[in-house]
Amino acid sequence: MPLDDVTAWVDSVWREAMRPPPLLTVSEWADRYRRLSTKAAAEPGHWRTDRTPYLRGIMDALSPHMAWERVVFVKGAQLGGTEAGNNFIAYLMHWSPGPIMAVQPTVEAAKRWSRQRLDDLVETPPLSGLVRAPRSRDSGNTTLLKEFPGGVLVVTGGNSAVGLRSMPVRYLFLDEVDAYPVDADGEGDPIDLAMQRTSTFGHRKKVFLCSTPTIQGHSRIERAFLESNQQRFWVPCPHCGAYQVLTWDNMRWTEGQPETAHMVCPVNGCILENTDKARMLPLGEWRADPAAEGDGKTAGFHISSLYSPVGWLTWADLASDHEKAKASPARMQVFVNTKLGETWRDQGEAPAWEPLFDRKGGYFVGEVPEGVTVLDGRRRRPARPHRG
Ligand SMILES: [Zn+2]
């Protein structure tokens, strides 16, 4: 080979080796690299975003090159939502390394998550080999800490101020935030403590908040969602093509016969069957609420179990759940929170309106009484028992 050719060849190899990795979004990365193990997944093998099309927009907002600093995901059960978090963590470790913190409601829950979810993730390609085996001495691999080339993942609980203060992080995964304690070890709000860890990374940080909601007015995920652009997943009616959000109000079935469950298209009254979701979900799109002001930095996504893919949770299952829950407010709360992904309005905690009304005095709305110089509109967080 003439010298010029050799030089050209070396040059091309060099250029190839030095080329930065392509900008893959989290969903593109997952479709290319993610494997679901037989141990942890109901449908093992290659990850396919097409199976849960609504996760695409959420995962792509989590991609480091997207401008969103916070991504908020309010979800029902049986949507594969947990995998959005797993794909986010796996993407970062493999494709865009940096310091990461994953927070579960408690340290105990964090250990459980690490053993049941994370270990499986790091033992499956393409992550296998990135984190050293836990038995080797000084391996940088413990239940609550995983070192990998270019970064480290720290796992902790919302009840541990020490854990939440551990190190500066660029990526923060706050999982099941509505189950966090009000206060971490007397040092304040666990989300605030964790968020402070990201301050050194400015606009380059990425925070993922994820949860099933709880009580209206007390729900952290609701509060974060209200600060976002409040997107919901719109899908086309298979008959008239009208785009709509699937809501519980449009659900119909004959009492005692949940197997008759179907939906009524709110635009033209068409009948939608559970299996129609196979055609509707791939054509779905996230649309922001035009009335939502948002803070410009937070992408918010809300989705209920009505969207669970065909073959998972059915509308008949949900109708049946609803019938069983009807008699008990406690069970109905679980249904509303975990299936509809909505907050529960707790009647018991709200004071009766009459005594309050009687105390209002003779003021008009918007009128500031004489002698008042400062109006304090801050909300005080009511005490709530620790959970988890
Ligand atoms: Zn229709």
Side-chain angles (χ1 to χ4, degrees), residues 17 31 51 195 215 266 275 285 300 364 380:
D31 282 324
R51 192 77 181 92
M195 289 294 281
I215 310 272
T275 49
E285 46 193 65
F364 295 100
R380 282 177 181 78

Side-chain angles (χ1 to χ4, degrees), residues 237 239-241 244 265 268 270:
C237 170
H239 306 286
C240 71
Q244 57 194 276
C265 164
N268 286 306
C270 321

Side-chain angles (χ1 to χ4, degrees), residues 125-148:
L127 296 189
S128 49
L130 285 187
V131 177
R132 269 170 287 175
R135 271 190 220 97
S136 58
R137 226 171 132 237
D138 188 29
S139 67
N141 179 0
T142 65
T143 310
L144 298 179
L145 184 141
K146 308 280 178 195
E147 278 178 11
F148 51 94

